[in-house]
């Protein structure tokens, strides 16, 4: 059984990794594809790019609870395989999209299929013992880190043969993963742990309201939301901040993102498997949140470009907080509600991907525009640190009697 679980865990890791690689592959070519389809310049193309990202995140927000509920009813395996098949076919669809409108349709379908993240994390919860859940959730972060190193590189290389080629490559990755999973992946959710599908609960609001039955969970979920929002300060403004303040070019920005990917992979894929068992989930949460807060404050007040690279270390080490939080939350919820729980968490993550960039980018713009009364390029990082502080206080309150 343990050997089977290890193979299944490896497949889930590969599934998430391929999903992220697929996203990363199309990043370098999306601007040119938009320009080709619209005939607009790079400035207007960036507007379309932002709207495409919102469309994708909005669909994940809406459909993650549906996918999670279906996996609680019919099992993880069929839902996960259908999501992988849908994602592969959608990449082919986008490769040959004749207009920008069809590209939007493609991103909407990708957002729905990309909700496989929900089923993948529910699968991890199914096959993990309570004491190993936090460590295994860390594999998700490791997959993201490695995926965002490999994906853009592969996309950049493939783009030499045309803007459509990276989409075809991404499709091949997803479809090969579907075929591999069809023959290898076992079902993780036992019949006795399944529940009826309920439309009232299969939506972001319904699934979150249902979590009110678990008071400690609600507080920790709120902490996760603040954690996700704080992270958007880095994801959304890192490039603009380093270009403006330290005159970095695209090459140095690329190097720095590569360093982020490597550090995330090391922390999420290896370090947490040692740290969380030794410290315990509770200490890991507080130490992780503290390190991330310190990292963001250091970013905000950095005076040299090399400092940004070195300050990535405490920030990325703080990544132990996320898996530890997920582990505690998951252990408080019954086996037949894991899909619903992961759907709710994925919805919240998607919502922060919509709201976070709007807040952080507009704050950066306000604090750096000519003639501003308050010039402070690091404002988004400072706001992120404040959000983490609030999240830490909520976690202290929730874990008081844990």
């Amino acid at each position: 059984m343990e050997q089977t679980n290890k193979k299944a865990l490896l497949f889930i890791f590969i599934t998430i990794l391929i999903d992220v690689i697929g996203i990363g592959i199309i990043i370098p070519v999306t601007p040119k594809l938009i320009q080709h389809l619209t005939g607009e310049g790079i400035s207007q193309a960036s507007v379309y790019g932002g709207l495409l990202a919102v469309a994708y995140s909005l669909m994940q927000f809406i459909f993650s609870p549906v996918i999670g509920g279906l996996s609680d009813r019919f099992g993880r395996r069929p839902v996960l395989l259908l999501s992988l098949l849908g994602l592969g076919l959608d990449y082919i669809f986008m490769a040959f999209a004749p207009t920008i409108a069809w590209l939007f349709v493609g991103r909407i379908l990708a957002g729905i299929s990309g909700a496989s993240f929900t089923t993948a994390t529910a699968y991890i919860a199914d096959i993990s013992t309570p004491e190993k859940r936090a460590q295994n959730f860390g594999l998700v972060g490791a997959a993201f880190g490695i995926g965002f190193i490999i994906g853009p590189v592969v996309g950049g290389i493939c783009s030499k043969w045309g803007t459509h080629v990276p989409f075809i490559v991404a499709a091949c990755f997803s479809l090969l993963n579907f075929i591999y999973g069809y023959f290898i992946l076992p079902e993780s959710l036992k019949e006795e742990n399944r529940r009826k599908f309920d439309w009232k609960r299969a939506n972001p609001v319904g699934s979150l309201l249902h979590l009110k039955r678990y008071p400690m969970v609600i507080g920790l979920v709120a902490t996760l939301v603040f954690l996700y929002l704080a992270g958007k300060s880095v994801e959304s403004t890192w490039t603009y901040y380093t270009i403006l303040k330290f005159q970095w070019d695209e090459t140095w920005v690329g190097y720095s993102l590569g360093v982020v990917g490597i550090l995330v992979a090391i922390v999420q894929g290896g370090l947490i498997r040692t740290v969380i068992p030794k410290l315990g989930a509770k200490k890991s949460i507080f130490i992780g949140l503290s390190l991330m807060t310190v990292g963001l404050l250091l970013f905000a007040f950095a005076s040299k470009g090399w400092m940004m690279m070195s300050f990535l270390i405490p920030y990325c080490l703080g990544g132990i907080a996320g898996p530890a939080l997920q582990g505690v939350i998951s252990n408080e919820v019954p086996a037949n509600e894991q899909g619903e729980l992961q759907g709710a968490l994925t919805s919240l993550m998607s919502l922060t991907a919509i709201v976070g960039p709007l807040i952080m980018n507009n704050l950066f713009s306000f604090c750096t525009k000519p003639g501003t009364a308050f010039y402070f390029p690091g404002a988004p990082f400072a706001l992120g640190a404040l959000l983490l502080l609030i999240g830490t206080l909520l976690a202290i309150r929730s874990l008081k009697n844990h």
Side-chain angles (χ1 to χ4, degrees):
M1 179 62 72
E2 187 178 347
Q3 190 64 27
T4 302
N5 285 352
K6 283 183 179 179
K7 288 181 179 177
L9 198 60
L10 177 62
F11 175 82
I12 295 300
F13 172 79
I14 293 171
T15 296
I16 298 172
L17 176 63
I18 288 175
D19 276 1
V20 178
I21 288 174
I23 295 169
I25 282 174
I26 67 174
I27 287 174
V29 295
T30 299
K32 281 191 176 180
L33 181 60
I34 293 171
Q35 286 180 281
H36 172 72
L37 293 175
T38 62
E40 300 283 356
I42 191 66
S43 180
Q44 187 60 30
S46 68
V47 175
Y48 281 113
L51 293 174
L52 285 168
V54 168
Y56 178 87
S57 297
L58 186 60
M59 289 303 102
Q60 279 210 322
F61 173 68
I62 294 170
F63 281 94
S64 289
V66 177
I67 298 295
L70 288 172
S71 76
D72 280 343
R73 171 65 183 86
F74 298 105
R76 315 298 185 209
R77 186 177 187 274
V79 174
L80 186 58
L81 290 177
L82 283 173
S83 293
L84 288 171
L85 178 62
L87 196 61
L89 295 175
D90 179 67
Y91 281 132
I92 296 173
F93 177 88
M94 287 193 289
F96 299 101
T99 65
I100 189 68
W102 282 106
L103 197 61
F104 270 98
V105 173
R107 291 315 285 160
I108 288 170
L109 294 174
I112 297 170
S113 299
S116 60
F117 178 81
T118 296
T119 314
T121 49
Y123 196 109
I124 291 173
D126 292 339
I127 65 174
S128 303
T129 58
E131 60 272 14
K132 286 204 175 263
R133 240 170 222 172
Q135 302 168 53
N136 290 341
F137 279 134
L139 290 175
V140 176
F144 269 84
I146 296 170
F148 275 115
I149 297 170
I150 298 172
V153 173
V154 173
I157 294 170
C158 293
S159 65
K160 294 177 182 178
W161 292 282
T163 54
H164 302 299
V165 175
F167 289 89
I168 301 296
V169 174
C172 290
F173 272 114
S174 291
L175 294 176
L176 284 172
N177 202 20
F178 164 76
I179 294 169
Y180 174 66
Y182 183 82
F183 291 104
I184 299 297
L185 186 69
E187 178 55 63
S188 65
L189 188 64
K190 297 176 182 178
E191 289 285 345
E192 61 267 26
N193 289 333
R194 300 186 185 187
R195 65 175 178 85
K196 289 183 179 180
F197 182 80
D198 185 357
W199 279 108
K200 290 181 180 178
R201 291 164 61 174
N203 62 80
V205 177
S207 58
L208 287 171
L209 287 176
H210 184 70
L211 292 179
K212 287 172 67 177
R213 293 169 53 190
Y214 313 103
M216 188 181 79
V217 166
I218 285 293
L220 294 181
V221 167
T223 299
L224 264 182
V225 170
F226 283 112
L227 179 65
Y228 292 149
L229 281 174
K232 297 305 170 189
S233 66
V234 178
E235 294 173 27
S236 302
T237 66
W238 178 272
T239 303
Y240 305 101
Y241 178 78
T242 53
I243 289 173
L244 175 70
K245 193 167 183 178
F246 307 115
Q247 291 77 52
W248 283 7
D249 58 15
E250 295 86 347
T251 303
W252 274 102
V253 171
Y255 288 154
S256 68
L257 293 177
V259 171
V260 172
I262 292 168
L263 288 172
V264 168
I266 291 171
V267 172
Q268 302 286 337
L271 192 62
I272 65 165
R273 306 186 77 79
T274 303
V275 171
I276 293 180
K278 284 188 176 179
L279 294 178
K282 192 172 180 179
K283 283 185 179 178
S284 297
I285 289 170
F286 295 135
I287 291 173
L289 290 173
S290 299
L291 284 169
M292 288 187 77
T293 304
V294 169
L296 287 175
L297 287 173
L298 291 172
F299 290 155
F301 296 99
S303 57
K304 302 288 183 182
W306 63 265
M307 293 180 178
M308 297 298 287
M309 293 289 200
S310 59
F311 294 159
L312 280 170
I313 295 173
Y315 177 75
C316 291
L317 283 173
I320 63 173
L325 275 166
Q326 279 187 288
V328 173
I329 292 169
S330 181
N331 288 340
E332 294 296 313
V333 176
N336 65 351
E337 295 180 14
Q338 288 294 326
E340 181 180 38
L341 168 67
Q342 300 305 328
L345 295 181
T346 305
S347 282
L348 286 171
M349 189 166 62
S350 302
L351 184 61
T352 61
I354 298 169
V355 176
L358 293 175
I359 295 172
M360 299 304 177
N361 285 56
N362 279 295
L363 178 61
F364 179 83
S365 176
F366 175 79
C367 293
T368 57
K369 65 183 180 182
T372 183
F374 182 69
Y375 184 81
F376 182 32
F381 300 132
L383 175 60
L386 178 61
L387 292 173
L388 284 176
L389 181 59
I390 296 170
T392 303
L393 294 174
L394 289 171
I396 291 171
R397 182 181 175 185
S398 297
L399 292 169
K400 200 172 183 181
N401 300 314
H402 181 60

